[in-house]
PDB file of all heavy atoms in Angstrom:
ATOM      1  N   ARG A  22     120.548 121.223 110.274  1.00  0.00           N
ATOM      2  CA  ARG A  22     121.129 120.380 109.099  1.00  0.00           C
ATOM      3  C   ARG A  22     122.389 119.796 109.564  1.00  0.00           C
ATOM      4  O   ARG A  22     123.406 120.563 109.797  1.00  0.00           O
ATOM      5  CB  ARG A  22     121.258 121.227 107.893  1.00  0.00           C
ATOM      6  CG  ARG A  22     121.679 120.436 106.664  1.00  0.00           C
ATOM      7  CD  ARG A  22     121.868 121.348 105.453  1.00  0.00           C
ATOM      8  NE  ARG A  22     122.422 120.569 104.281  1.00  0.00           N
ATOM      9  CZ  ARG A  22     121.752 120.399 103.160  1.00  0.00           C
ATOM     10  NH1 ARG A  22     120.584 120.891 102.974  1.00  0.00           N
ATOM     11  NH2 ARG A  22     122.359 119.654 102.215  1.00  0.00           N
ATOM     12  N   VAL A  24     125.955 117.419 108.879  1.00  0.00           N
ATOM     13  CA  VAL A  24     126.933 117.362 107.820  1.00  0.00           C
ATOM     14  C   VAL A  24     126.467 116.328 106.767  1.00  0.00           C
ATOM     15  O   VAL A  24     126.749 116.440 105.661  1.00  0.00           O
ATOM     16  CB  VAL A  24     128.394 117.172 108.234  1.00  0.00           C
ATOM     17  CG1 VAL A  24     128.897 118.286 109.088  1.00  0.00           C
ATOM     18  CG2 VAL A  24     128.537 115.834 109.105  1.00  0.00           C
ATOM     19  N   ASP A  25     125.882 115.191 107.321  1.00  0.00           N
ATOM     20  CA  ASP A  25     125.288 114.135 106.351  1.00  0.00           C
ATOM     21  C   ASP A  25     123.810 114.396 106.344  1.00  0.00           C
ATOM     22  O   ASP A  25     123.108 114.496 107.401  1.00  0.00           O
ATOM     23  CB  ASP A  25     125.599 112.814 106.931  1.00  0.00           C
ATOM     24  CG  ASP A  25     127.028 112.558 106.844  1.00  0.00           C
ATOM     25  OD1 ASP A  25     127.666 112.594 105.771  1.00  0.00           O
ATOM     26  OD2 ASP A  25     127.685 112.159 107.956  1.00  0.00           O
ATOM     27  N   HIS A  26     123.281 114.746 105.129  1.00  0.00           N
ATOM     28  CA  HIS A  26     121.935 115.133 104.991  1.00  0.00           C
ATOM     29  C   HIS A  26     121.169 114.495 103.934  1.00  0.00           C
ATOM     30  O   HIS A  26     121.717 114.146 102.887  1.00  0.00           O
ATOM     31  CB  HIS A  26     121.912 116.677 104.750  1.00  0.00           C
ATOM     32  CG  HIS A  26     120.559 117.314 104.822  1.00  0.00           C
ATOM     33  ND1 HIS A  26     119.851 117.449 105.935  1.00  0.00           N
ATOM     34  CD2 HIS A  26     119.844 117.811 103.785  1.00  0.00           C
ATOM     35  CE1 HIS A  26     118.701 117.993 105.636  1.00  0.00           C
ATOM     36  NE2 HIS A  26     118.682 118.244 104.379  1.00  0.00           N
ATOM     37  N   ARG A 105     117.976 113.073  97.667  1.00  0.00           N
ATOM     38  CA  ARG A 105     119.388 113.516  97.521  1.00  0.00           C
ATOM     39  C   ARG A 105     120.146 113.414  98.801  1.00  0.00           C
ATOM     40  O   ARG A 105     119.767 113.926  99.881  1.00  0.00           O
ATOM     41  CB  ARG A 105     119.412 114.964  97.121  1.00  0.00           C
ATOM     42  CG  ARG A 105     120.695 115.530  96.766  1.00  0.00           C
ATOM     43  CD  ARG A 105     120.546 116.998  96.228  1.00  0.00           C
ATOM     44  NE  ARG A 105     119.767 116.931  95.004  1.00  0.00           N
ATOM     45  CZ  ARG A 105     118.646 117.726  94.842  1.00  0.00           C
ATOM     46  NH1 ARG A 105     118.246 118.601  95.857  1.00  0.00           N
ATOM     47  NH2 ARG A 105     118.002 117.678  93.738  1.00  0.00           N
ATOM     48  N   LEU A 106     121.134 112.493  98.841  1.00  0.00           N
ATOM     49  CA  LEU A 106     121.923 112.244 100.017  1.00  0.00           C
ATOM     50  C   LEU A 106     123.351 112.851  99.837  1.00  0.00           C
ATOM     51  O   LEU A 106     123.991 112.648  98.836  1.00  0.00           O
ATOM     52  CB  LEU A 106     122.098 110.703 100.116  1.00  0.00           C
ATOM     53  CG  LEU A 106     122.663 110.062 101.324  1.00  0.00           C
ATOM     54  CD1 LEU A 106     121.875 110.452 102.602  1.00  0.00           C
ATOM     55  CD2 LEU A 106     122.729 108.536 101.238  1.00  0.00           C
ATOM     56  N   SER A 107     123.726 113.668 100.848  1.00  0.00           N
ATOM     57  CA  SER A 107     125.017 114.312 100.760  1.00  0.00           C
ATOM     58  C   SER A 107     125.728 114.318 102.098  1.00  0.00           C
ATOM     59  O   SER A 107     125.089 114.229 103.094  1.00  0.00           O
ATOM     60  CB  SER A 107     124.848 115.770 100.266  1.00  0.00           C
ATOM     61  OG  SER A 107     124.001 116.504 101.162  1.00  0.00           O
ATOM     62  N   GLY A 108     127.078 114.478 102.050  1.00  0.00           N
ATOM     63  CA  GLY A 108     127.877 114.594 103.220  1.00  0.00           C
ATOM     64  C   GLY A 108     129.110 113.761 103.127  1.00  0.00           C
ATOM     65  O   GLY A 108     129.250 112.866 102.176  1.00  0.00           O
ATOM     66  N   PRO A 109     130.045 113.943 104.071  1.00  0.00           N
ATOM     67  CA  PRO A 109     131.307 113.260 104.016  1.00  0.00           C
ATOM     68  C   PRO A 109     131.168 111.726 104.210  1.00  0.00           C
ATOM     69  O   PRO A 109     132.093 110.935 103.841  1.00  0.00           O
ATOM     70  CB  PRO A 109     132.119 113.890 105.107  1.00  0.00           C
ATOM     71  CG  PRO A 109     131.144 114.560 106.071  1.00  0.00           C
ATOM     72  CD  PRO A 109     130.023 114.870 105.140  1.00  0.00           C
ATOM     73  N   ASN A 110     130.088 111.288 104.838  1.00  0.00           N
ATOM     74  CA  ASN A 110     129.960 109.775 105.076  1.00  0.00           C
ATOM     75  C   ASN A 110     128.900 109.197 104.128  1.00  0.00           C
ATOM     76  O   ASN A 110     128.522 108.047 104.366  1.00  0.00           O
ATOM     77  CB  ASN A 110     129.414 109.580 106.584  1.00  0.00           C
ATOM     78  CG  ASN A 110     130.534 110.127 107.552  1.00  0.00           C
ATOM     79  OD1 ASN A 110     131.610 109.720 107.466  1.00  0.00           O
ATOM     80  ND2 ASN A 110     130.181 111.097 108.390  1.00  0.00           N
ATOM     81  N   VAL A 111     128.644 109.800 103.096  1.00  0.00           N
ATOM     82  CA  VAL A 111     127.551 109.378 102.123  1.00  0.00           C
ATOM     83  C   VAL A 111     127.925 107.892 101.608  1.00  0.00           C
ATOM     84  O   VAL A 111     127.001 107.072 101.586  1.00  0.00           O
ATOM     85  CB  VAL A 111     127.326 110.311 101.013  1.00  0.00           C
ATOM     86  CG1 VAL A 111     128.408 110.416 100.046  1.00  0.00           C
ATOM     87  CG2 VAL A 111     126.020 109.903 100.226  1.00  0.00           C
ATOM     88  N   ARG A 112     129.100 107.672 101.311  1.00  0.00           N
ATOM     89  CA  ARG A 112     129.451 106.284 100.742  1.00  0.00           C
ATOM     90  C   ARG A 112     129.381 105.262 101.870  1.00  0.00           C
ATOM     91  O   ARG A 112     128.936 104.101 101.583  1.00  0.00           O
ATOM     92  CB  ARG A 112     130.850 106.271 100.160  1.00  0.00           C
ATOM     93  CG  ARG A 112     130.931 106.938  98.860  1.00  0.00           C
ATOM     94  CD  ARG A 112     132.423 106.903  98.348  1.00  0.00           C
ATOM     95  NE  ARG A 112     132.502 107.963  97.219  1.00  0.00           N
ATOM     96  CZ  ARG A 112     132.570 109.259  97.447  1.00  0.00           C
ATOM     97  NH1 ARG A 112     132.546 109.802  98.578  1.00  0.00           N
ATOM     98  NH2 ARG A 112     132.634 110.086  96.374  1.00  0.00           N
ATOM     99  N   ARG A 113     129.689 105.586 103.099  1.00  0.00           N
ATOM    100  CA  ARG A 113     129.558 104.648 104.223  1.00  0.00           C
ATOM    101  C   ARG A 113     128.124 104.372 104.465  1.00  0.00           C
ATOM    102  O   ARG A 113     127.686 103.249 104.860  1.00  0.00           O
ATOM    103  CB  ARG A 113     130.249 105.184 105.376  1.00  0.00           C
ATOM    104  CG  ARG A 113     131.802 105.211 105.230  1.00  0.00           C
ATOM    105  CD  ARG A 113     132.595 105.814 106.317  1.00  0.00           C
ATOM    106  NE  ARG A 113     132.422 105.038 107.580  1.00  0.00           N
ATOM    107  CZ  ARG A 113     132.692 105.498 108.812  1.00  0.00           C
ATOM    108  NH1 ARG A 113     133.170 106.624 108.914  1.00  0.00           N
ATOM    109  NH2 ARG A 113     132.496 104.649 109.805  1.00  0.00           N
ATOM    110  N   LEU A 115     125.537 104.614 102.231  1.00  0.00           N
ATOM    111  CA  LEU A 115     124.978 103.837 101.199  1.00  0.00           C
ATOM    112  C   LEU A 115     125.585 102.392 101.197  1.00  0.00           C
ATOM    113  O   LEU A 115     124.812 101.420 100.738  1.00  0.00           O
ATOM    114  CB  LEU A 115     125.311 104.488  99.855  1.00  0.00           C
ATOM    115  CG  LEU A 115     124.454 105.691  99.518  1.00  0.00           C
ATOM    116  CD1 LEU A 115     124.923 106.448  98.303  1.00  0.00           C
ATOM    117  CD2 LEU A 115     122.968 105.267  99.380  1.00  0.00           C
ATOM    118  N   LEU A 123     131.231 102.193  95.422  1.00  0.00           N
ATOM    119  CA  LEU A 123     130.910 103.618  95.184  1.00  0.00           C
ATOM    120  C   LEU A 123     132.144 104.473  95.261  1.00  0.00           C
ATOM    121  O   LEU A 123     132.113 105.649  95.304  1.00  0.00           O
ATOM    122  CB  LEU A 123     129.878 104.116  96.222  1.00  0.00           C
ATOM    123  CG  LEU A 123     128.542 103.447  96.137  1.00  0.00           C
ATOM    124  CD1 LEU A 123     127.592 103.879  97.289  1.00  0.00           C
ATOM    125  CD2 LEU A 123     127.896 103.612  94.802  1.00  0.00           C
ATOM    126  N   PRO A 125     135.217 106.688  94.234  1.00  0.00           N
ATOM    127  CA  PRO A 125     135.164 107.716  93.156  1.00  0.00           C
ATOM    128  C   PRO A 125     135.881 107.232  91.885  1.00  0.00           C
ATOM    129  O   PRO A 125     135.522 107.654  90.828  1.00  0.00           O
ATOM    130  CB  PRO A 125     135.861 108.872  93.783  1.00  0.00           C
ATOM    131  CG  PRO A 125     135.731 108.781  95.251  1.00  0.00           C
ATOM    132  CD  PRO A 125     135.673 107.325  95.505  1.00  0.00           C
ATOM    133  N   SER A 130     131.687 110.943  89.296  1.00  0.00           N
ATOM    134  CA  SER A 130     130.546 111.975  89.255  1.00  0.00           C
ATOM    135  C   SER A 130     129.945 111.881  87.798  1.00  0.00           C
ATOM    136  O   SER A 130     130.690 111.856  86.878  1.00  0.00           O
ATOM    137  CB  SER A 130     131.155 113.277  89.507  1.00  0.00           C
ATOM    138  OG  SER A 130     130.086 114.252  89.782  1.00  0.00           O
ATOM    139  N   ALA A 146     122.523 107.835  91.200  1.00  0.00           N
ATOM    140  CA  ALA A 146     123.434 108.642  90.435  1.00  0.00           C
ATOM    141  C   ALA A 146     124.296 109.412  91.360  1.00  0.00           C
ATOM    142  O   ALA A 146     123.895 109.985  92.373  1.00  0.00           O
ATOM    143  CB  ALA A 146     122.555 109.591  89.633  1.00  0.00           C
ATOM    144  N   ARG A 147     125.626 109.501  90.983  1.00  0.00           N
ATOM    145  CA  ARG A 147     126.511 110.316  91.760  1.00  0.00           C
ATOM    146  C   ARG A 147     126.474 111.705  91.123  1.00  0.00           C
ATOM    147  O   ARG A 147     126.879 111.756  89.967  1.00  0.00           O
ATOM    148  CB  ARG A 147     127.944 109.749  91.710  1.00  0.00           C
ATOM    149  CG  ARG A 147     128.900 110.641  92.538  1.00  0.00           C
ATOM    150  CD  ARG A 147     130.288 109.860  92.837  1.00  0.00           C
ATOM    151  NE  ARG A 147     131.139 110.804  93.504  1.00  0.00           N
ATOM    152  CZ  ARG A 147     132.337 111.010  93.180  1.00  0.00           C
ATOM    153  NH1 ARG A 147     132.886 110.221  92.215  1.00  0.00           N
ATOM    154  NH2 ARG A 147     133.103 111.871  93.730  1.00  0.00           N
ATOM    155  N   THR A 148     126.053 112.675  91.821  1.00  0.00           N
ATOM    156  CA  THR A 148     125.857 114.079  91.308  1.00  0.00           C
ATOM    157  C   THR A 148     126.898 115.057  91.737  1.00  0.00           C
ATOM    158  O   THR A 148     126.924 116.236  91.252  1.00  0.00           O
ATOM    159  CB  THR A 148     124.458 114.448  91.595  1.00  0.00           C
ATOM    160  OG1 THR A 148     124.286 114.502  93.036  1.00  0.00           O
ATOM    161  CG2 THR A 148     123.340 113.705  90.941  1.00  0.00           C
ATOM    162  N   GLY A 149     127.782 114.673  92.654  1.00  0.00           N
ATOM    163  CA  GLY A 149     128.823 115.560  93.108  1.00  0.00           C
ATOM    164  C   GLY A 149     129.871 114.755  93.891  1.00  0.00           C
ATOM    165  O   GLY A 149     129.854 113.579  93.968  1.00  0.00           O
ATOM    166  N   GLU A 150     130.820 115.555  94.423  1.00  0.00           N
ATOM    167  CA  GLU A 150     131.900 114.856  95.180  1.00  0.00           C
ATOM    168  C   GLU A 150     131.411 113.956  96.270  1.00  0.00           C
ATOM    169  O   GLU A 150     131.789 112.843  96.360  1.00  0.00           O
ATOM    170  CB  GLU A 150     132.847 115.913  95.751  1.00  0.00           C
ATOM    171  CG  GLU A 150     134.059 115.381  96.554  1.00  0.00           C
ATOM    172  CD  GLU A 150     134.938 114.519  95.726  1.00  0.00           C
ATOM    173  OE1 GLU A 150     135.181 114.718  94.549  1.00  0.00           O
ATOM    174  OE2 GLU A 150     135.451 113.521  96.303  1.00  0.00           O
ATOM    175  N   ASN A 151     130.472 114.467  97.043  1.00  0.00           N
ATOM    176  CA  ASN A 151     129.962 113.659  98.215  1.00  0.00           C
ATOM    177  C   ASN A 151     128.415 113.807  98.120  1.00  0.00           C
ATOM    178  O   ASN A 151     127.727 113.956  99.092  1.00  0.00           O
ATOM    179  CB  ASN A 151     130.421 114.185  99.529  1.00  0.00           C
ATOM    180  CG  ASN A 151     131.865 113.852  99.770  1.00  0.00           C
ATOM    181  OD1 ASN A 151     132.294 112.672  99.538  1.00  0.00           O
ATOM    182  ND2 ASN A 151     132.725 114.721 100.265  1.00  0.00           N
ATOM    183  N   GLU A 152     127.826 113.624  96.949  1.00  0.00           N
ATOM    184  CA  GLU A 152     126.431 113.687  96.782  1.00  0.00           C
ATOM    185  C   GLU A 152     125.897 112.629  95.816  1.00  0.00           C
ATOM    186  O   GLU A 152     126.547 112.417  94.723  1.00  0.00           O
ATOM    187  CB  GLU A 152     126.032 115.054  96.253  1.00  0.00           C
ATOM    188  CG  GLU A 152     124.589 115.346  96.137  1.00  0.00           C
ATOM    189  CD  GLU A 152     124.284 116.717  95.737  1.00  0.00           C
ATOM    190  OE1 GLU A 152     124.546 117.637  96.516  1.00  0.00           O
ATOM    191  OE2 GLU A 152     123.726 116.934  94.655  1.00  0.00           O
ATOM    192  N   PHE A 153     124.827 111.972  96.206  1.00  0.00           N
ATOM    193  CA  PHE A 153     124.163 111.004  95.294  1.00  0.00           C
ATOM    194  C   PHE A 153     122.689 111.248  95.333  1.00  0.00           C
ATOM    195  O   PHE A 153     122.120 111.768  96.269  1.00  0.00           O
ATOM    196  CB  PHE A 153     124.396 109.511  95.981  1.00  0.00           C
ATOM    197  CG  PHE A 153     125.686 108.991  95.835  1.00  0.00           C
ATOM    198  CD1 PHE A 153     126.809 109.412  96.712  1.00  0.00           C
ATOM    199  CD2 PHE A 153     126.156 108.195  94.743  1.00  0.00           C
ATOM    200  CE1 PHE A 153     128.044 108.917  96.568  1.00  0.00           C
ATOM    201  CE2 PHE A 153     127.365 107.691  94.635  1.00  0.00           C
ATOM    202  CZ  PHE A 153     128.335 108.088  95.566  1.00  0.00           C
ATOM    203  N   GLU A 154     122.054 110.956  94.218  1.00  0.00           N
ATOM    204  CA  GLU A 154     120.597 111.042  94.131  1.00  0.00           C
ATOM    205  C   GLU A 154     120.024 109.679  93.861  1.00  0.00           C
ATOM    206  O   GLU A 154     120.657 108.880  93.032  1.00  0.00           O
ATOM    207  CB  GLU A 154     120.144 111.998  92.931  1.00  0.00           C
ATOM    208  CG  GLU A 154     120.300 113.469  93.415  1.00  0.00           C
ATOM    209  CD  GLU A 154     119.738 114.398  92.418  1.00  0.00           C
ATOM    210  OE1 GLU A 154     119.263 113.994  91.290  1.00  0.00           O
ATOM    211  OE2 GLU A 154     119.757 115.605  92.643  1.00  0.00           O
TER     212      GLU A 154
END
Side-chain angles (χ1 to χ4, degrees):
R22 185 181 174 120
V24 294
D25 294 302
H26 186 70
R105 187 173 299 124
L106 189 59
S107 61
N110 297 302
V111 68
R112 283 177 199 78
R113 292 176 65 195
L115 286 171
L123 299 176
S130 190
R147 182 164 174 228
T148 56
E150 179 61 32
N151 289 316
E152 185 174 294
F153 289 81
E154 285 187 356

